[in-house]
Amino acid sequence: VQLQASGGGVVQVGGSLRLSCVASGPIIRITEVAWYRRAPGGQRELVAEITRSGRTDYADAVKGRFAISRDVTENTIYLQMENLQYEDTAVYYCNAGIVWGTYENTYDEWGRGTLVTVSS
């Protein structure tokens, strides 16, 4: 089982990007999903999540600009980012709780990350 994130790139201030994260392998189901980011010289921080109950939460810095969603049938997680600012420059990582295997255990899986650079 693995997560593969894509969609990063260079975008101007005020621009938009959509990140995607596809989960592949013998997946039984995906529980909670999230996007994190790590800015240059910074620590990893939670950007947005969809909890097991379906609630969405966002970091204060991105509320009103970012939207997390998921396609259950395609095992894909999205992060729509609008009105991007310099401080959004970071490597973005997808994260998911994935149930797989004979005993249907839940594993905390991470994608490798995709770089978003916001420039003037």
Side-chain angles (χ1 to χ4, degrees), residues 1-40:
V1 170
Q2 65 177 1
L3 297 177
Q4 180 65 51
S6 62
V10 179
V11 62
Q12 290 187 326
V13 171
S16 303
L17 278 177
R18 188 175 82 155
L19 305 183
S20 300
C21 178
V22 180
S24 61
I27 297 167
I28 296 173
R29 62 184 175 276
I30 298 175
T31 57
E32 63 274 17
V33 299
W35 287 94
Y36 287 77
R37 69 184 180 187
R38 187 192 303 270

Side-chain angles (χ1 to χ4, degrees), residues 63-107:
K63 281 181 181 177
R65 300 189 297 121
F66 289 13
I68 186 172
S69 61
R70 61 186 292 185
D71 185 328
V72 175
T73 60
E74 297 293 332
N75 287 330
T76 303
I77 311 159
Y78 300 100
L79 185 68
Q80 180 68 43
M81 305 184 293
E82 306 285 347
N83 190 23
L84 283 159
Q85 304 298 310
Y86 294 120
E87 54 267 31
D88 296 318
T89 294
V91 177
Y92 285 73
Y93 301 89
C94 55
N95 169 250
I98 299 180
V99 180
W100 66 281
T102 302
Y103 301 103
E104 298 193 17
N105 293 322
T106 302
Y107 295 88

